[in-house]
Amino acid sequence: MALIQSIDRAAKVLSSLQGARHLGITELATALELPPSTVHGIVKSLQSHGLVAKEPNGNRYMLGPALLKLSNVYLDTLDVRARAMRWTRELSRRTGLSTRLGAELFDEVIIIHHNLRPDGSEQMPETGLSIPAHASAMGKVLLTYNPDAADDILSRPLRSLTGDTVTDPAKLILQFAQVADRGIAMEEDEAVLGESSVAAPVVDRSGSVIAAVAVVMPSSEWPPEDNVLNDLRETARNISRELGATAWPPPVSRRVTLDD
């Protein structure tokens, strides 16, 4: 039990530092509700393995370089990523838009594969970046099909990234219902001003939604045209078929409500 507790506490330290956060021992101790001496020992152990790094000439800590290596190994072994790459590349070519493949990571969505817009413009690679689930079209897909995770997220105050981020649980629950009916989720300017996206579920052989695929476009081009939505649905269906799914879109086992 002591080992499990240590792992749990170390995971919470890493989770607290996600999103490029830089925190000191006192701040981490407050967030984890642990004595500073205990947190200091955990942080030093993580630092020795390169999982946490100390700011140069500072007293705050951040995620370390070893996590990047671990994440790359993890991403490279994901069956869904390997099977989806040719389909997301083709989706990007057909729509002229950036595409993302995302998976659930705590209360966020991590981008496990990213295709740049094929117009040759200067763009930032996004693989490995994470977005709060409630502010992401991919996240709304994943929360719709994982009501337990949705219940947990909606039980806590939600962070507003822009003036358009939906943080009202009732409004999000309505959006989840629309995703269940349509098989796609949308967000307009919720995570980044000037950027909007639409996403669809990726299903495995067991019928579980394990990822979401999205197209990203400038908000000036919103809403997406029907051909973009059709191409997105077809891509999600093709990836799911590669993973052994026999039906798409998948059924929703339980809809999230305010009474849950």
Side-chain angles (χ1 to χ4, degrees):
M1 180 62 74
L3 178 60
I4 295 175
Q5 183 184 64
S6 298
I7 294 173
D8 180 65
R9 289 176 172 177
K12 288 178 178 178
V13 168
L14 295 175
S15 179
S16 297
L17 294 174
Q18 68 179 336
R21 296 187 184 97
H22 292 210
L23 299 174
I25 295 297
T26 301
E27 293 168 298
L28 284 167
T30 300
L32 274 59
E33 299 181 343
L34 291 171
S37 59
T38 300
V39 174
H40 184 265
I42 296 171
V43 169
K44 286 300 182 183
S45 295
L46 292 170
Q47 186 180 9
S48 69
H49 292 284
L51 298 171
V52 165
K54 193 175 184 180
E55 284 181 339
N57 305 316
N59 292 315
R60 292 174 178 266
Y61 294 85
M62 55 190 172
L63 294 178
L67 281 175
L68 180 60
K69 180 179 179 180
L70 290 174
S71 65
N72 285 337
V73 172
Y74 174 68
L75 294 177
D76 287 340
T77 58
L78 280 178
D79 191 35
V80 62
R81 182 174 185 258
R83 293 179 180 271
M85 289 174 68
R86 69 185 179 102
W87 296 111
T88 59
R89 182 171 59 249
E90 177 62 12
L91 176 62
S92 184
R93 186 193 67 79
R94 292 175 66 174
T95 61
L97 299 170
S98 168
T99 60
R100 293 168 176 161
L101 185 71
E104 184 180 340
L105 179 67
F106 302 112
D107 58 352
E108 299 186 323
V109 177
I110 183 169
I111 300 172
I112 60 176
H113 185 64
H114 174 229
N115 291 98
L116 303 175
R117 290 190 311 275
D119 59 9
S121 62
E122 185 176 348
Q123 302 165 62
M124 181 183 74
E126 298 179 348
T127 300
L129 298 181
S130 59
I131 311 168
H134 68 280
S136 160
M138 295 186 298
K140 291 176 184 183
V141 165
L142 296 171
L143 292 174
T144 297
Y145 292 94
N146 187 348
D148 290 337
D151 290 343
D152 180 58
I153 287 176
L154 296 182
S155 69
R156 295 178 268 117
L158 298 175
R159 183 160 54 105
S160 181
L161 281 71
T162 74
D164 293 306
T165 306
V166 178
T167 59
D168 182 348
K171 291 181 179 179
L172 285 167
I173 288 170
L174 178 60
Q175 290 187 359
F176 298 159
Q178 293 171 342
V179 174
D181 291 337
R182 302 173 184 172
I184 58 172
M186 297 184 177
E187 64 82 15
E188 184 179 1
D189 287 323
E190 291 193 49
V192 178
L193 286 176
E195 178 183 282
S196 300
S197 64
V198 56
V202 173
V203 189
D204 68 4
R205 67 176 66 253
S206 72
S208 300
V209 173
I210 58 171
V213 59
V215 291
V216 186
M217 63 180 62
S219 297
S220 59
E221 299 177 14
W222 191 261
E225 297 179 355
D226 287 343
N227 66 297
V228 172
L229 298 179
N230 291 335
D231 286 342
L232 173 65
R233 289 188 178 99
E234 187 62 25
T235 297
R237 185 181 292 111
N238 286 333
I239 298 172
S240 299
R241 189 179 297 121
E242 289 255 3
L243 293 168
T246 57
W248 193 97
V252 175
S253 60
R254 173 174 69 83
R255 296 204 180 194
V256 183
T257 71
L258 286 174
D259 295 328
D260 286 348

